[in-house]
Amino acid sequence: MSTETALPVKPAEGLFSKKNRKLITDPLNDNNPITVQVLGICSALAITVKVQNAVVMSLSVLAVVVVGNMVISALRNLIPGRIRIIAQLVIAAGLVTLVDIVLKAYVYDVSKQVGVYVGLIITNCILMGRYEAFAMGNKVWPSALDGLGNSLGYAWILVAVATVREITGNGSWMGMRLIPESWYAANGGGYFNNNMMILPPMALVLVGIIIWIQRSRNTKLIES
Amino acid sequence: MNLVNIFVKAIFIENMIFAYFLGMCSYLAVSKTVKTAVGLGAAVIFVLGVTVPVNYLLENYVLKAGALSWISPAMADVDLSFLAFIMFIAVVAAIVQLVEMVVEKFAPALYGALGIFLPLIAVNCSILGGALFMQERQYSTIAEASTFAVGSGVGWFLAIVAIAAIRERIRYSDIPKPLKGLGITFIITGLMGIAFMAFMGIKI
């Protein structure tokens, strides 16, 4: 659940000092929220059938993590330690409600497909993990960068999984047709979509394979 | 009979882990040994069984469009459903803290077994997921909602105990190094999910 990853960050000199840049780049690979910290799997897998859903989900998480990190970091000296979990949850829930309303207003179809998973961003462990491990102990600007880095790390895994699933399972990418209609068996060709890739369990297998590839390239992540 | 259907459906066909991936974080983190898995699984059944009925009452008597009409007919067109996320999570977090205190006071032995897992559960997606599915599927009575909740909990329990048992055995297998630990757990869960899809054919 909570992999303690609080980085001891001193007040930054410049806005994009080396330490601050590392806050963004670290979660992309060495400290990826999904493949290394194992956070936020809950909502990550179910919505990766289509790239469009994955992108919308990633942007929602990005908004909630960055803004939430900033709010909590700004309030970090005011929140009493004993009730901090509830305080964090309420801030998260408020932001998620806003995101949900915005999605319903502007991309209604996607919001229908993403369904309960937008609500589940509240309990997305990335959120609580970053709020608890980073924002409670750091200033506003590093917290915003940390949120940005982690949600980008989350986003690239999501989009990668969704890309494989949409191309193999549906023959398209972002709704654009990649495999021409005329290739399909129904139109006289010999091509079939791999319907198995649309099934939910395949998302797990794909993430397993991404972890495999990542760890064979980045050997310091291998578990003993 | 309807209740039995909902129960069986919640355990097997709409399994929280294998069909919806809810509660994956704790599922992956706490499934290294069967003993801890049993503890967490039991805590999830318990908390789902308590929070979903409470959220059901909240949904039907406070939040839903027109739900407030029991106070006065004038409030029949009040729709508070946009508050659902905040109310549900507040209820979950509050009940988890309450349950923790009550269990600690009256059943120290149970607290020893479940204690460390209870705080984890407030942020377990399957708990909030239970509440949101309850809202989405609009169960008609509180009995149905509670049955669904306990069934989902049992399904989650089953999944985490099964994966913990497999992980205990797999420690001795010769797996490619980069795949060890997390990677292989993901793939096994995927395969178990495919196996569980066999239940989808059952019409109840």
Side-chain angles (χ1 to χ4, degrees), chain B residues 1 4-14 195-204:
Chain B
M1 201 53 219
V4 178
N5 281 352
I6 291 178
F7 190 65
V8 173
K9 215 170 154 188
I11 296 179
F12 294 107
I13 303 172
E14 289 164 349
F196 259 70
M197 295 192 81
F199 291 114
M200 275 186 182
I202 302 171
K203 263 269 176 292
I204 46 175

Side-chain angles (χ1 to χ4, degrees), chain B residues 52-195:
Chain B
V52 171
V54 174
N55 277 330
Y56 179 86
L57 294 176
L58 190 70
E59 158 82 3
N60 280 286
Y61 292 102
V62 182
L63 295 176
K64 225 187 208 172
L68 283 172
S69 57
W70 59 274
I71 296 178
S72 80
M75 297 177 84
D77 50 357
V78 178
D79 182 0
L80 293 178
S81 49
F82 66 92
L83 284 176
F85 293 158
I86 296 184
M87 295 307 286
F88 286 172
I89 196 68
V91 164
V92 169
I95 287 184
V96 168
Q97 295 232 313
L98 206 69
V99 165
E100 197 184 344
M101 287 190 280
V102 170
V103 171
E104 190 179 7
K105 176 96 180 142
F106 294 107
L110 186 65
Y111 183 75
L114 296 185
I116 49 162
F117 299 119
L118 285 172
L120 272 183
I121 283 179
V123 288
N124 184 322
C125 328
S126 62
I127 309 294
L128 184 63
L132 292 177
F133 277 131
M134 175 275 296
Q135 184 193 29
E136 192 179 275
R137 291 177 193 159
Q138 310 208 325
Y139 289 108
S140 53
T141 64
I142 189 164
E144 284 185 18
S146 324
T147 315
F148 157 75
V150 175
S152 306
V154 173
W156 203 89
F157 177 88
L158 210 67
I160 192 168
V161 173
I163 192 79
I166 294 177
R167 284 181 80 170
E168 278 193 358
R169 299 290 177 286
I170 213 166
R171 204 168 303 147
Y172 307 107
S173 326
D174 185 22
I175 307 162
K177 270 214 181 89
L179 201 55
K180 260 193 184 146
L182 194 57
I184 194 71
T185 310
F186 265 100
I187 293 177
I188 293 172
T189 309
L191 294 177
M192 288 165 77
I194 293 175

Side-chain angles (χ1 to χ4, degrees), chain A residues 158-182:
Chain A
L158 235 66
V159 172
V161 173
T163 302
V164 175
R165 288 180 81 187
E166 194 178 341
I167 292 177
T168 51
N170 199 28
S172 56
W173 192 80
M174 280 296 267
M176 288 178 298
R177 189 128 286 285
L178 293 184
I179 314 273
E181 293 282 355
S182 59

Side-chain angles (χ1 to χ4, degrees), chain A residues 34-35 38 41-42 44-48 157 161 165 196-212, chain B residues 16-25 27-28 163 179 182-194:
Chain A
I34 292 189
T35 62
V38 211
I41 322 274
C42 324
L45 300 171
I47 41 82
T48 50
I157 302 276
V161 173
R165 288 180 81 187
M196 197 168 149
M197 297 306 284
I198 299 182
L199 301 181
M202 289 315 287
L204 285 165
V205 175
L206 283 172
V207 173
I209 292 172
I210 289 181
I211 291 175
W212 188 0
Chain B
M16 280 281 186
I17 295 268
F18 297 127
Y20 298 109
F21 310 115
L22 298 182
M24 285 298 285
C25 308
Y27 168 85
L28 291 167
I163 192 79
L179 201 55
L182 194 57
I184 194 71
T185 310
F186 265 100
I187 293 177
I188 293 172
T189 309
L191 294 177
M192 288 165 77
I194 293 175

Side-chain angles (χ1 to χ4, degrees), chain A residues 110-178:
Chain A
V110 178
S111 124
K112 267 265 176 266
Q113 288 170 15
V114 180
V116 293
Y117 292 96
V118 171
L120 289 171
I121 295 177
I122 300 170
T123 49
N124 188 319
C125 323
I126 293 182
L127 234 71
M128 296 304 292
R130 292 340 288 169
Y131 291 176
E132 178 75 14
F134 200 91
M136 286 300 284
N138 287 284
K139 292 200 166 167
V140 174
W141 177 245
S143 299
L145 292 180
D146 176 78
L148 185 68
N150 275 284
S151 31
L152 289 178
Y154 171 85
W156 86 255
I157 302 276
L158 235 66
V159 172
V161 173
T163 302
V164 175
R165 288 180 81 187
E166 194 178 341
I167 292 177
T168 51
N170 199 28
S172 56
W173 192 80
M174 280 296 267
M176 288 178 298
R177 189 128 286 285
L178 293 184

